[in-house]
Amino acid sequence: MTTDSPANSPLRAASWTVAPEPYDSPAAAALWRAYYTEVSDRWYQLHEGRPTDPEELEREVAAETGADLAPPDGVLLLGRYGGEPGATAGVRLLDPATAELTRVFVREDLRGKGGAPVILAAAEDAARALGAGRIVLDTRTDLVEARALYARHGYEEIEPLMERQYADHWYGKKLAPGSADAR
């Protein structure tokens, strides 16, 4: 039997929390592996009609340690849903006024539960805390969900800041002083 008692209301459902996490923690490593597996498989399926070769995945994971997401010029944020690791976002300074957003990811089984706006807002707060007044990012054409998320949260397409193999679109946003925009 289902009831609408306060104990079953959405307000008492699991919720998201976000906190800094060491870039080399087991939770970060597991989420990054899931992130790289998903984006790599999507790219290879689109361009070569096949999933990622396991050796390719291992090379990619090893090449991006995340050490640039450590203080004092960076931070890795880990989002937990109901206490379980479920999302990441990294922020690193490109220069004293500009932060780069990277590795934004929500586990597939937790999508649709409000995690993306929460982790994005926390990343913007982290960029402000690092002293940035602007945040930028790059993404691919096939990652339409990510592009839609950024557009919904005030990011606008900008000229590429540098050449990157998998960067089809660049976005930027001026960060207002204070806490993150209303979610």
Side-chain angles (χ1 to χ4, degrees):
M1 178 170 123
T2 328
T3 67
D4 289 330
S5 71
N8 294 333
S9 76
L11 297 176
R12 295 200 180 261
S15 61
W16 287 96
T17 58
V18 177
E21 179 83 9
Y23 70 90
D24 56 355
S25 77
L31 286 168
W32 285 349
R33 179 167 295 284
Y35 164 79
Y36 279 120
T37 299
E38 181 175 335
V39 298
S40 183
D41 280 351
R42 284 176 75 162
W43 192 90
Y44 280 109
Q45 287 292 350
L46 180 65
H47 296 283
E48 297 183 12
R50 65 173 177 88
T52 308
D53 178 274
E55 289 180 20
E56 291 168 322
L57 180 64
E58 293 309 315
R59 279 194 305 272
E60 192 67 31
V61 169
E64 293 291 333
T65 65
D68 56 345
L69 300 177
D73 295 327
V75 63
L76 171 68
L77 300 170
L78 192 128
R80 294 179 188 276
Y81 184 76
E84 292 296 317
T88 63
V91 178
R92 59 180 163 229
L93 286 177
L94 295 179
D95 62 51
T98 308
E100 182 179 21
L101 178 63
T102 186
R103 298 189 189 200
V104 177
F105 177 72
V106 177
R107 277 186 7 214
E108 187 174 8
D109 62 316
L110 296 177
R111 292 179 190 156
K113 298 184 183 296
V118 170
I119 197 95
L120 186 58
E124 291 173 5
D125 284 344
R128 283 185 197 88
L130 290 170
R134 178 177 180 228
I135 192 166
V136 298
L137 64 97
D138 67 75
T139 191
R140 298 186 332 222
T141 298
D142 63 305
L143 300 176
V144 294
E145 306 90 342
R147 293 174 40 226
L149 171 73
Y150 302 132
R152 273 194 315 272
H153 291 276
Y155 289 76
E156 297 179 346
E157 282 212 53
I158 60 173
E159 290 296 315
L161 297 181
M162 62 192 77
E163 184 80 21
R164 286 192 178 153
Q165 182 177 2
Y166 301 109
D168 300 320
H169 300 271
W170 284 83
Y171 289 83
K173 180 178 180 179
K174 184 176 178 183
L175 298 173
S179 64
D181 300 51
R183 301 171 221 345

